[in-house]
Amino acid sequence: MSKLTALQEELADLLLNTKIEAKVIKRLQRLDGTYYLQESKRSTSPIDFAKEEGEFALKVHEVKPEAPLSPLYVNLRSLPSEVLEKIAQVLAEVKLETPQQYCTGVPRAAVVIAKEFSKASAIPFLDVFEKIGENTDRKIVILKGVSAKPDTKLLVIDDVVAHGKSKLEALEAAKKVGFYVNMLVLIDREEGGIGQIEKEGCRVYAAMKLTDILDYYLEKGMITKKQFDE
């Protein structure tokens, strides 16, 4: 029996069935056995399964190219408005333990999600972060001129949590200028990221777990048992 709420089931359907033109990163191998990453665009879904050998390389493969590839990818960029609205509704039904004064998004994908969430939750949006650098030198920092009174409550929104690196950067930067941070993510990939963030004293709320989404897809016959097992 599905562990998802009715709204979450509606969103899960959209994430598997909506088609977008999106970036896909493949891992390819040179003749000497070393790996390199190749970026391309194809028609895909926000939650999609690998179609060709070498898909999907993730951020971790930029520094550890030999790491196992992911059999599925969660890509919540360039979404149509009806999917963004449903994401915001799902995030807004999460019960927060304390009232929040502002919300913001981890750049760049989650900023548009946070703005939509602000409409659904009535928590004002505040632009806080920017991303600087490229590839493995990327870093999240505070926008110039942003500051806060001590312990101003800021809810940081992100799309997916895996290992938690970008969220820890956002947490550290926000705390330095006075924010008291809680985080809200749409999907927990269950790779240990939430535990890493909460060790730093930040409460993390996850609307959905990846395993619950996959259980729902299997139950409804939307994916095969082979895809589920992989």
Side-chain angles (χ1 to χ4, degrees):
M1 185 175 176
S2 173
K3 294 180 182 178
L4 305 181
T5 68
L7 272 176
Q8 289 172 349
E9 288 183 357
E10 291 172 17
L11 176 59
D13 292 344
L14 286 171
L15 294 179
L16 191 66
N17 295 319
T18 301
K19 289 300 177 185
I20 55 175
E21 193 74 15
K23 178 175 71 175
V24 171
I25 300 176
K26 284 186 189 178
R27 182 180 68 186
L28 303 175
Q29 196 166 20
R30 299 183 182 93
L31 291 175
D32 65 2
T34 60
Y35 293 108
Y36 66 99
L37 304 182
Q38 184 182 80
E39 184 179 307
S40 63
K41 279 195 170 185
R42 69 165 170 84
S43 177
T44 180
S45 302
I47 291 182
D48 200 8
F49 292 81
K51 302 288 192 299
E52 298 178 19
E53 189 175 350
E55 298 178 344
F56 293 104
L58 306 174
K59 282 183 185 177
V60 66
H61 296 99
E62 294 174 2
V63 292
K64 293 184 178 179
E66 73 284 355
L69 292 169
S70 174
L72 62 85
Y73 190 42
V74 182
N75 180 4
L76 301 182
R77 294 169 173 81
S78 306
L79 298 175
S81 59
E82 65 269 21
V83 180
L84 279 173
E85 288 170 11
K86 192 65 67 178
I87 287 173
Q89 291 168 13
V90 166
L91 289 172
E93 74 174 352
V94 175
K95 289 181 172 58
L96 306 175
E97 291 174 2
T98 55
Q100 302 295 305
Q101 291 166 267
Y102 300 101
C103 70
T104 194
V106 175
R108 301 183 176 90
V111 172
V112 66
I113 293 173
K115 288 178 178 178
E116 201 66 40
F117 169 78
S118 176
K119 297 176 193 174
S121 65
I123 299 172
F125 174 83
L126 185 66
D127 210 0
V128 173
F129 303 113
E130 66 174 330
K131 188 178 282 187
I132 59 173
E134 297 294 331
N135 300 323
T136 54
D137 294 324
R138 289 189 300 266
K139 188 170 179 61
I140 293 169
V141 298
I142 295 291
L143 278 167
K144 188 175 180 180
V146 172
S147 61
K149 292 179 181 177
D151 293 332
T152 299
K153 291 183 174 62
L154 178 69
L155 184 65
V156 176
I157 308 291
D158 209 356
D159 51 359
V160 179
V161 57
H163 301 291
K165 179 177 178 292
S166 61
K167 289 149 200 69
L168 286 168
E169 287 179 1
L171 172 62
E172 181 183 355
K175 285 166 69 175
K176 279 182 179 176
V177 293
F179 288 110
Y180 181 88
V181 179
N182 285 311
M183 293 192 177
L184 173 60
V185 298
L186 181 67
I187 297 174
D188 177 13
R189 279 190 67 123
E190 300 169 274
E191 295 177 35
I194 287 182
Q196 292 298 317
I197 300 163
E198 291 194 329
K199 280 180 185 177
E200 302 302 316
C202 175
R203 175 76 163 86
V204 184
Y205 301 87
M208 307 165 78
K209 292 182 178 180
L210 186 57
T211 50
D212 291 342
I213 296 171
L214 295 175
D215 284 339
Y216 170 72
Y217 288 157
L218 184 64
E219 180 187 319
K220 297 295 180 182
M222 300 166 75
I223 62 172
T224 66
K225 185 67 166 59
K226 182 174 183 290
Q227 287 174 315
F228 178 85
D229 289 341
E230 286 176 352

